[in-house]
Amino acid sequence: MQESGKWRRTVRLVAAVLGGAVIAGIVVGVVARVLMRAILLVLDMPTSFTVGGTVAILVAFAVLAVPAAATATARPAIRHAGRWATAAVTGWGAAQNGIADAKALLLADDSQLPLLGVLTVAFAAAVVAHGRLAQYVTGRLAGPAATGARTAPLAETAPAS
């Protein structure tokens, strides 16, 4: 009977990791796509995006969320490392993509710079939130038993008066 319970727990954790990575990838990928469009609008550049390109971005963000999602139920130090690994690889990819458009940013009009700065900071915030979101969703999908939370009734955990 215990082997069956371990098997179910393992399957649930794997499903939670995959679900957390996919959901975080979709949410942050959509945010990134909207921010990319906003940057192009500010620069007065064409804003047409292909469906294939959007799907590729969503898949990339889902794959990049795996380190954070896989460490969501680990000890705090490992959980933080997984979150920052996701932020580092996502940030590296975002920076490489941004460097490809650096010429357009360098040639931007002075009046466009404040808004471009705000959008860049928003993009950076999305990159940092990527790992945290993946861990949050994974923890919720995995359930309290996987995250080490106490499942005792409230009356048992409340301090005595």
Side-chain angles (χ1 to χ4, degrees):
M1 185 69 166
Q2 273 197 323
E3 290 225 9
S4 174
K6 286 181 182 179
W7 175 250
R8 271 188 242 163
R9 182 175 181 265
T10 301
V11 168
R12 184 174 179 152
L13 282 174
V14 169
V17 167
L18 293 175
V22 167
I23 291 170
I26 290 171
V27 170
V28 178
V30 166
V31 168
R33 202 58 158 162
V34 167
L35 290 171
M36 289 177 207
R37 185 174 185 103
I39 288 170
L40 291 174
L41 285 170
V42 169
L43 293 172
D44 295 324
M45 295 179 71
T47 59
S48 62
F49 290 130
T50 65
V51 172
T54 301
V55 169
I57 286 173
L58 299 179
V59 168
F61 274 93
V63 169
L64 294 173
V66 169
T71 59
T73 61
R75 295 175 187 223
I78 295 170
R79 194 168 48 242
H80 292 303
R83 186 180 314 150
W84 287 108
T86 291
V89 294
T90 304
W92 180 258
Q96 283 184 322
N97 189 31
I99 290 171
D101 296 330
K103 186 177 179 182
L105 293 173
L106 289 174
L107 297 175
D109 188 53
D110 286 345
S111 64
Q112 298 168 322
L113 293 179
L115 188 52
L116 288 172
V118 168
L119 292 170
T120 302
V121 169
F123 208 103
V127 164
V128 172
H130 189 205
R132 181 66 183 107
L133 178 62
Q135 287 183 339
Y136 175 78
V137 172
T138 300
R140 297 291 291 187
L141 293 174
T147 58
R150 282 197 65 181
T151 57
L154 186 58
E156 290 180 27
T157 60
S161 299

